[in-house]
Amino acid sequence: MLKAYIVPHPPIILPEIGRGEELKIAATTTAYQAVADEIAELKPDTIVLSSPHSPLYADGFFVAGGKMGKGDFSAFSAPEVKEEFLFDSELSERLCRISQEKGLATGLEPQIGGADHGVLVPLHFIRQRYRDFRLVQVGLSGLSAEAHFLFGQCIREALEQLGRRAVFVASGDLSHVLRKDGPYGFRPEGPEFDRQIVELLSRAAFDEVLNMPLVFCEKAAECGLRSFQILAGALDGDEVTAKRLSYEGPFGVGYAVMSFSLNNKADSKANDENRWTQPGCAEGERLSTLPGNAEGEAESALHTDVERERSSTQGDKAEGKEAQNSPKREACAQDITELARKSILYFLEHKALLPLPENLPQNLLTTQAGCFVSLHKGKALRGCIGTMCACQDSLAEEIIYNAVTAANGDPRFPAVRQDEVAELDISVDVLGELEDISSPAELDPQRYGVYVQRGRRSGVLLPRLEGVETIEEQLDIALAKAGIAAEEDFALSRFEVRRYEKNR
């Protein structure tokens, strides 16, 4: 391993897509170009790239198969911007073999529809400077932080077995809820997540990255954490020097560019004051940054944003709910599924979250709960995203946010198009409180969902799923999603779900 990088993947950074808006993230562009220049100097045989938008499996990892990959930005109205590249097939196959031997389900298969933007944006910059490499493209999974770390270790082992000179690129944005005027709105957890993750990565504190609280990260609507956890595994055992090149978030999404040098292997010119080594690094030290992005400015801006947006958001919501004079009737399936559908249509047209409609049933505004929004086209799943606990101020806002994310942010599927929305069958599962239980005998896959946890590993499965008929089947799937072996000790909880569905 020569070096590793964390990079974001906003398509708007490309002039053909941004049409001037890319100038608002000029520091990110400058940092990206610096990364590409470094990679060109290193001349790696292989680039290993992890993307949150590559196919995602609940219980395993995707590795892109075939000899050649390609993709373009047609989904962002720029089909003329395209990339073609060669895969390192031998290394991909070796990675799959090693991962499977270590108990990680890993699938080697072509990516249907071409490479995703989490792959294409980094390659666009890198290939402007350097093209003499082969790619290993990997996805994330629904497994635990430890499983992603182990997958990174498998990547490192495969590289060493084949003697590849390689660079690892972890593609991933940070929080998507940094600003009230951003496409996903504002939550105070967003800026706080960005502050914490940038600080931890800036000192290569990978143990702490693996231990970030799951609920906090979910509320922050982050994108790249699991990608960074794979990177941590790939660098395991090395003394690492971390360097932050840039951080920006003007569109409501956090973009960080960082480099990680393996001491005495690469980047020996690094200034001593920019050195952060995992063993014994001094508490409170600081990294220098690119000119014009002084250390402390971004962090103070994040704190300011939290306070300003929290005050504004709370005031707006209180005023808005009082003004709506909502009917006191209970919400029915049509209210809930139509709210989800309108949310998707509004986002596709305005690139923003739907404002709370007037005359919503009162319980949608006064209740808080986690929920899952599932989209089906015919019998085929088209997207499913949810939250185990309430992350918004009301159930209505929870449905709006999760509907948009299911349509636009499920890494397993391309974003839903506007002409598809009318064809979608939408269901919303509203989750009850978790109830700790002592035995699987207290489960019922037709009535209860199941939640399993061992340390930081956890998995969830909804009730009444097609093909899941027995307690054993339900529990086996939940444990597999969590990466927990059946013979290990784990905490067991159940929850009830109220499902609202109305087919077209």
Side-chain angles (χ1 to χ4, degrees):
M1 183 76 72
L2 301 174
K3 201 161 185 176
Y5 300 91
I6 283 172
V7 296
H9 47 247
I12 200 171
I13 200 171
L14 306 183
E16 296 87 347
I17 297 171
R19 302 183 186 279
E21 289 294 293
E22 73 279 1
L23 299 177
K24 296 179 181 178
I25 48 173
T28 302
T29 300
T30 300
Y32 237 130
Q33 292 167 343
V35 168
D37 286 338
E38 286 186 3
I39 291 175
E41 291 179 9
L42 291 169
K43 295 181 170 57
D45 306 319
T46 300
I47 293 176
V48 181
L49 196 156
S50 57
S51 168
H53 297 283
S54 293
L56 183 149
Y57 304 130
D59 56 356
F61 293 92
F62 164 86
V63 179
K67 296 187 178 299
M68 177 176 287
K70 61 182 179 179
D72 61 41
F73 288 90
S74 296
F76 303 93
S77 303
E80 72 279 9
V81 185
K82 58 186 69 176
E83 301 292 340
E84 291 188 357
F85 43 90
L86 295 173
F87 287 120
D88 189 335
S89 301
E90 183 184 17
L91 181 57
S92 296
E93 291 170 2
R94 182 65 61 91
L95 169 60
C96 287
R97 188 182 315 149
I98 292 171
S99 300
Q100 289 165 356
E101 289 172 353
K102 294 185 183 296
L104 294 176
T106 309
L108 183 67
E109 57 187 67
Q111 184 169 355
I112 298 172
D116 58 87
H117 68 278
V119 173
L120 293 176
V121 171
L123 288 185
H124 181 80
F125 281 95
I126 294 168
R127 284 170 52 81
Q128 288 178 344
R129 301 291 201 272
Y130 181 65
R131 294 184 172 227
D132 191 19
F133 67 90
R134 292 178 182 259
L135 184 74
V136 172
Q137 175 192 340
V138 303
L140 314 182
S141 81
L143 298 175
S144 63
E146 289 88 346
H148 287 80
F149 186 84
L150 176 59
F151 188 56
Q153 292 177 311
C154 294
I155 290 171
R156 181 63 172 270
E157 185 174 339
L159 291 172
E160 292 177 349
Q161 285 186 11
L162 295 179
R164 294 287 197 272
R165 301 176 68 258
V167 163
F168 189 99
V169 177
S171 177
D173 299 336
L174 305 187
S175 171
H176 285 59
V177 288
L178 298 182
R179 296 173 61 97
K180 186 179 176 184
D181 59 356
Y184 296 95
F186 171 80
R187 292 187 209 146
E189 292 86 0
E192 180 60 21
F193 172 86
D194 281 16
R195 186 193 68 79
Q196 288 188 28
I197 193 69
V198 170
E199 190 272 331
L200 293 176
L201 291 170
S202 293
R203 54 186 176 87
F206 296 132
D207 286 350
E208 295 177 62
V209 172
L210 293 174
N211 281 295
M212 295 191 76
L214 295 176
V215 172
F216 168 68
C217 295
E218 187 174 77
K219 288 185 175 182
E222 57 79 23
C223 166
L225 180 60
R226 288 172 291 176
S227 196
F228 310 154
Q229 290 166 347
I230 295 174
L231 175 146
L235 298 180
D236 185 41
D238 285 296
E239 188 179 80
V240 175
T241 296
K243 185 175 183 182
R244 189 180 86 185
L245 302 179
S246 69
Y247 172 84
E248 296 181 294
F251 305 125
V253 179
Y255 306 135
V257 180
M258 308 190 74
S259 68
F260 301 87
S261 298
L262 283 62
N263 290 350
N264 301 319
K265 293 188 178 182
D267 199 24
S268 59
K269 299 178 182 178
N271 191 305
D272 285 343
E273 70 184 40
N274 288 338
R275 288 191 178 277
W276 285 82
T277 57
Q278 195 168 357
C281 62
E283 191 66 37
E285 294 186 35
R286 293 291 181 190
L287 277 168
S288 62
T289 60
L290 289 179
N293 187 22
E295 178 64 27
E297 290 180 4
E299 291 186 6
S300 63
L302 288 178
H303 286 300
T304 301
D305 284 345
V306 170
E307 296 306 321
R308 181 177 64 248
E309 297 287 4
R310 178 187 289 121
S311 175
S312 172
T313 301
Q314 289 175 344
D316 290 349
K317 290 185 185 306
E319 181 181 345
K321 287 181 181 179
E322 184 178 343
Q324 284 177 19
N325 192 24
S326 301
K328 293 185 178 180
R329 66 177 177 85
E330 291 289 305
C332 65
Q334 182 167 344
D335 295 318
I336 289 176
T337 57
E338 282 308 303
L339 177 61
R341 193 181 304 274
K342 287 178 182 177
S343 303
I344 296 168
L345 286 169
Y346 188 90
F347 182 85
L348 292 173
E349 183 174 349
H350 300 283
K351 300 302 180 188
L353 292 180
L354 174 72
L356 281 174
E358 293 184 3
N359 298 318
L360 284 175
Q362 193 175 50
N363 67 318
L364 289 182
L365 298 174
T366 58
T367 301
Q368 285 185 296
C371 74
F372 280 73
V373 177
S374 301
L375 313 176
H376 284 82
K377 192 173 180 180
K379 292 186 177 181
L381 184 66
R382 190 64 181 82
C384 180
I385 293 289
T387 45
M388 280 296 297
C389 60
C391 296
Q392 305 291 338
D393 289 344
S394 69
L395 178 56
E397 292 161 285
E398 202 85 28
I399 293 167
I400 290 169
Y401 185 87
N402 287 345
V404 168
T405 310
N408 194 63
D410 190 328
R412 299 169 293 180
F413 305 99
V416 169
R417 303 185 310 273
Q418 193 160 5
D419 60 4
E420 290 183 277
V421 178
E423 304 174 21
L424 295 176
D425 292 325
I426 300 177
S427 65
V428 178
D429 291 297
V430 179
L431 277 60
E433 295 292 326
L434 279 176
E435 176 189 0
D436 293 338
I437 58 176
S438 58
S439 167
E442 298 177 70
L443 293 173
D444 177 349
Q446 298 307 309
R447 179 180 177 183
Y448 297 111
V450 61
Y451 180 77
V452 296
Q453 183 174 20
R454 177 180 170 85
R456 297 184 301 275
R457 291 175 285 167
S458 63
V460 61
L461 199 67
L462 295 173
R464 302 190 294 280
L465 295 180
E466 185 176 354
V468 181
E469 305 294 339
T470 68
I471 292 173
E472 291 74 19
E473 290 171 336
Q474 185 186 44
L475 191 55
D476 285 348
I477 294 171
L479 289 171
K481 291 175 72 173
I484 300 172
E487 61 270 15
E488 292 185 276
D489 292 330
F490 56 87
L492 185 60
S493 305
R494 69 184 185 184
F495 57 92
E496 292 191 276
V497 164
R498 188 167 183 180
R499 181 162 297 164
Y500 298 87
E501 54 189 349
K502 184 174 177 61
N503 296 340
R504 296 173 292 111

